[in-house]
Amino acid sequence: MSQKNEKSESDAKERASTLAALLKEKPKRGRPSRNVSRQNVYVALAKSQKKQMKQLAGLLGDAISRADIPDLSISVLSARLEALRRAVADRNREMPEGITDLESLYLLWDLPLPTKDEKEPSWTSIRVSPQQVIELGRSHGTLNAVFGANRSQTFSLALALLEQLIEDHPLMQQFETAEDLRKQIIELHT
């Protein structure tokens, strides 16, 4: 009888260890997980804009990756649009007088105009945090209502604004995390 009990116990231990091995946390393949899950947003980007995103990530700190660039770009755009709204708050307008199209907004903010000579942009997905999805929607809604801009044009404007911010404020490169940089962006435009 003792042999049967020993054999049953060893089988149970073996099954338990196999189950434990299956339940053990294993490293997952693919994109690393984030504290806040990101959402896919589809925009049409030219190859030069994709390279621009990679270059901007290289200019910022080591802790800030290419995946953080869309979030930071949208933060800059929403902060700039909010500052523009405050500037015309006493008037019954969303944009200042004389800003009649998207190109005049580029000129108002001293941004280089988007180039038309780039080949047809391709649709791609950018991964954006939920709060930035909301901010992109607000910015897109505003620019669409005023100028008829689409989401891709809105995101291109956001990329141009982030590039300008990094060029004008070299101290942006010293921030360790994307959240610290986002807080600094908001402080600059309030």
Side-chain angles (χ1 to χ4, degrees):
M1 194 79 165
S2 67
Q3 287 180 342
K4 267 187 166 178
N5 286 341
E6 288 176 18
K7 189 173 183 182
S8 299
E9 288 176 16
S10 68
D11 286 344
K13 285 182 182 178
E14 189 176 309
R15 281 189 219 129
S17 65
T18 304
L19 180 62
L22 289 173
L23 296 175
K24 189 171 139 182
E25 184 79 23
K26 294 182 181 177
K28 295 184 176 156
R29 295 176 47 172
R31 185 180 292 123
S33 61
R34 297 251 179 201
N35 293 341
V36 177
S37 64
R38 295 185 180 206
Q39 299 173 5
N40 286 335
V41 175
Y42 293 95
V43 293
L45 292 177
K47 287 182 181 181
S48 63
Q49 291 171 319
K50 291 177 185 178
K51 288 179 186 175
Q52 179 186 20
M53 288 175 64
K54 195 176 285 189
Q55 290 170 347
L56 291 175
L59 290 175
L60 295 172
D62 293 336
I64 299 173
S65 66
R66 183 185 183 279
D68 296 321
I69 297 300
D71 282 354
L72 293 172
S73 299
I74 293 167
S75 294
V76 173
L77 176 63
S78 63
R80 293 294 295 261
L81 284 176
E82 186 58 35
L84 200 60
R85 283 186 193 106
R86 283 194 311 270
V88 293
D90 59 339
R91 292 175 247 152
N92 205 8
R93 301 181 58 88
E94 192 71 19
M95 294 285 162
E97 293 84 4
I99 306 299
T100 57
D101 57 1
L102 200 56
E103 286 78 21
S104 58
L105 189 60
Y106 272 87
L107 295 174
L108 175 70
W109 286 333
D110 293 327
L111 296 170
L113 292 174
T115 58
K116 304 282 185 197
D117 61 338
E118 187 69 36
K119 290 182 181 177
E120 190 70 27
S122 60
W123 285 97
T124 187
S125 65
I126 54 174
R127 306 263 312 154
V128 184
S129 299
Q131 182 60 37
Q132 272 57 42
V133 171
I134 294 169
E135 290 179 11
L136 179 62
R138 285 183 188 144
S139 301
H140 172 234
T142 300
L143 296 176
N144 185 17
V146 177
F147 307 128
N150 61 31
R151 187 177 354 170
S152 301
Q153 292 169 325
T154 302
F155 186 71
S156 296
L157 176 62
L159 271 178
L161 284 169
L162 180 63
E163 182 177 25
Q164 181 192 49
L165 182 74
I166 292 171
E167 288 174 359
D168 291 349
H169 301 283
L171 295 178
M172 291 290 173
Q173 299 171 7
Q174 71 183 5
F175 289 98
E176 292 297 321
T177 64
E179 187 58 36
D180 293 340
L181 185 54
R182 188 176 297 116
K183 288 177 186 175
Q184 182 62 30
I185 288 168
I186 292 170
E187 282 182 27
L188 277 174
H189 295 98
T190 55

